[in-house]
């Protein structure tokens, strides 16, 4: 059985350490001391840093029970995902963009995030989430810190389609005061990515205590948001930089809005017809170039 998401990788390395070869022990010692850096090194680069061959690094991964180095690297990234500080992310981003321009490297990374999301996301779960949105009496959307932007985006469009949506955020009142009327026929959509906001996790625990339905939009089934949810939509979030990549999560949210909207075509047409009149009357948008 492969250790792809081994939550105790460091312990595994410690247990296997006595049986490793001299070169593999050097790799193990480096990872135990610098696992935050090792998680973003290729096998060749890790070998250079440690002073062993690339093949020794690959054999080390095999020795730990992985089919190859990429699987070990992924396990390391899962291990540190919620432990990286912003300072460490800045240091890592220097390596991240050193080979090519920030524009090219970041866009390529975001494309990979969307591709990985398409592979990972469960289509049935997505359909179940859409059903749950329509079944809910009230919908609460919660995304704090960097996730605030996409929580507001989801709330803005769902509010145009439905009339029972509330976005929870920091303001005069605490988030729990904004959820005080939460009941079991309501739905809470929690959005969060590493580093996960403590308040979001606590709010989902509160929602669970009220027996409300919970949907998590997060990066992994190992996420603390996923642990508290009934449905989890996985969206890849690149963490090899001090800026959180929210491109794939936003793409999933776009799909969610469209799926909900397709079931309410007539209502949307009527709503947008009214909005167009209001926008023109109050000059919300520039209409100079329209005939």
């Amino acid at each position: 059985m492969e250790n792809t998401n081994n939550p105790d990788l460091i312990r595994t390395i410690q247990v296997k350490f006595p049986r490793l070869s001299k070169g593999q022990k050097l790799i193990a010692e480096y990872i135990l001391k610098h696992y935050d850096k090792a998680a973003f090194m290729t096998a060749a680069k890790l070998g250079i840093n440690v002073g062993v061959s690339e093949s020794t690094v690959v054999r080390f991964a095999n020795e730990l029970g992985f089919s190859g180095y990429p699987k070990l690297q992924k396990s390391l990234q899962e291990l540190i995902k919620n432990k990286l500080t912003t300072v460490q992310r800045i240091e890592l981003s220097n390596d991240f963009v050193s080979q090519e321009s920030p524009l090219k490297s970041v866009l390529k990374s975001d494309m990979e995030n969307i591709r990985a999301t398409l592979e990972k996301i469960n289509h049935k779960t997505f359909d179940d989430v859409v059903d749950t949105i329509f079944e809910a009496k009230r919908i609460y959307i919660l995304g704090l810190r960097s996730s605030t932007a996409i929580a507001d985006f989801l709330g803005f469009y769902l509010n145009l389609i439905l009339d029972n949506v509330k976005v929870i955020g920091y303001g005069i009142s605490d988030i729990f005061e904004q959820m005080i009327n939460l009941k079991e026929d309501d739905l809470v959509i929690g959005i969060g990515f590493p580093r996960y906001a403590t308040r979001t996790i606590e709010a989902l625990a509160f929602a669970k205590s009220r027996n409300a339905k919970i949907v998590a939009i997060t990066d992994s089934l190992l996420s603390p948001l996923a642990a508290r949810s009934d449905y989890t939509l996985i969206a890849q979030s690149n963490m090899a930089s001090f800026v959180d990549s929210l491109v794939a999560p936003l793409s999933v949210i776009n799909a969610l809005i469209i799926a909900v909207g397709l079931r309410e075509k007539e209502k949307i047409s009527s709503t947008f017809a009214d909005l167009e009149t209001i926008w023109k009357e109050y000059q919300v948008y520039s209409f100079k170039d329209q005939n």
Side-chain angles (χ1 to χ4, degrees):
M1 184 175 173
E2 191 158 276
N3 293 325
T4 309
N5 286 318
N6 186 352
D8 203 5
L9 177 61
I10 299 300
R11 180 65 184 152
T12 302
I13 293 173
Q14 290 169 334
V15 170
K16 298 218 173 196
F17 190 82
R19 298 195 300 273
L20 299 176
S21 68
K22 186 178 178 182
Q24 289 171 353
K25 283 181 178 176
L26 290 173
I27 299 167
E29 287 170 349
Y30 183 87
I31 288 176
L32 290 174
K33 288 179 183 175
H34 309 289
Y35 60 88
D36 56 331
K37 291 186 174 69
F40 297 96
M41 291 180 181
T42 61
K45 188 167 183 180
L46 179 56
I48 290 168
N49 273 268
V50 175
V52 300
S53 67
E54 183 177 350
S55 59
T56 302
V57 175
V58 174
R59 283 196 295 273
F60 171 75
N62 296 152
E63 190 67 34
L64 294 184
F66 296 96
S67 60
Y69 177 74
K71 298 291 186 182
L72 167 59
Q73 188 180 41
K74 183 181 177 185
S75 192
L76 273 171
Q77 289 175 359
E78 289 289 340
L79 176 73
I80 68 165
K81 190 171 281 184
N82 202 30
K83 296 180 182 178
L84 276 182
T85 65
T86 302
V87 173
Q88 286 172 313
R89 289 187 184 204
I90 291 170
E91 289 174 358
L92 290 169
S93 68
N94 291 334
D95 290 336
F96 181 59
V97 299
S98 62
Q99 302 300 317
E100 50 195 358
S101 73
L103 176 64
K104 193 171 183 181
S105 58
V106 171
L107 262 62
K108 281 170 66 177
S109 175
D110 282 337
M111 287 166 64
E112 173 58 26
N113 282 336
I114 291 178
R115 186 198 62 76
T117 297
L118 188 58
E119 287 180 1
K120 289 179 181 180
I121 200 162
N122 187 306
H123 292 244
K124 185 185 183 305
T125 302
F126 181 88
D127 292 339
D128 288 342
V129 169
V130 175
D131 290 339
T132 305
I133 286 172
F134 281 101
E135 290 165 2
K137 186 174 182 181
R138 283 171 300 191
I139 300 165
Y140 295 81
I141 300 172
L142 175 66
L144 303 176
R145 303 191 67 76
S146 60
S147 295
T148 300
I150 53 177
D152 284 342
F153 185 88
L154 176 60
F156 173 78
Y157 278 102
L158 283 189
N159 262 316
L160 294 178
I161 305 167
L162 308 169
D163 54 9
N164 59 344
V165 180
K166 179 177 183 178
V167 178
I168 298 168
Y170 288 121
I172 294 174
S173 60
D174 191 83
I175 58 172
F176 295 109
E177 291 166 1
Q178 296 172 58
M179 298 172 70
I180 193 67
N181 295 317
L182 186 68
K183 292 182 173 59
E184 63 181 357
D185 50 1
D186 296 333
L187 168 66
V188 176
I189 301 176
I191 306 171
F193 297 86
R195 305 156 74 189
Y196 309 102
T198 304
R199 218 53 168 165
T200 302
I201 299 165
E202 291 171 345
L204 295 192
F206 171 73
K208 203 167 187 65
S209 73
R210 290 289 181 98
N211 295 316
K213 278 277 191 296
I214 302 170
V215 169
I217 301 176
T218 189
D219 65 307
S220 166
L221 289 172
L222 299 175
S223 156
L225 278 73
R228 290 156 177 80
S229 70
D230 298 292
Y231 304 101
T232 301
L233 294 177
I234 301 298
Q236 185 97 343
S237 175
N238 172 46
M239 50 171 286
S241 175
F242 61 95
V243 177
D244 296 320
S245 173
L246 297 175
V247 171
L250 183 58
S251 193
V252 170
I253 282 171
N254 274 339
L256 206 54
I257 294 164
I258 295 296
V260 171
L262 286 173
R263 291 203 193 175
E264 293 284 351
K265 282 183 184 176
E266 289 183 15
K267 185 177 179 182
I268 288 176
S269 297
S270 173
T271 299
F272 275 96
D274 288 344
L275 283 171
E276 286 293 342
T277 304
I278 293 167
W279 290 339
K280 282 183 180 179
E281 185 176 347
Y282 291 96
Q283 298 180 345
V284 173
Y285 296 112
S286 172
F287 291 92
K288 290 179 182 177
D289 297 330
Q290 296 185 15
N291 295 325

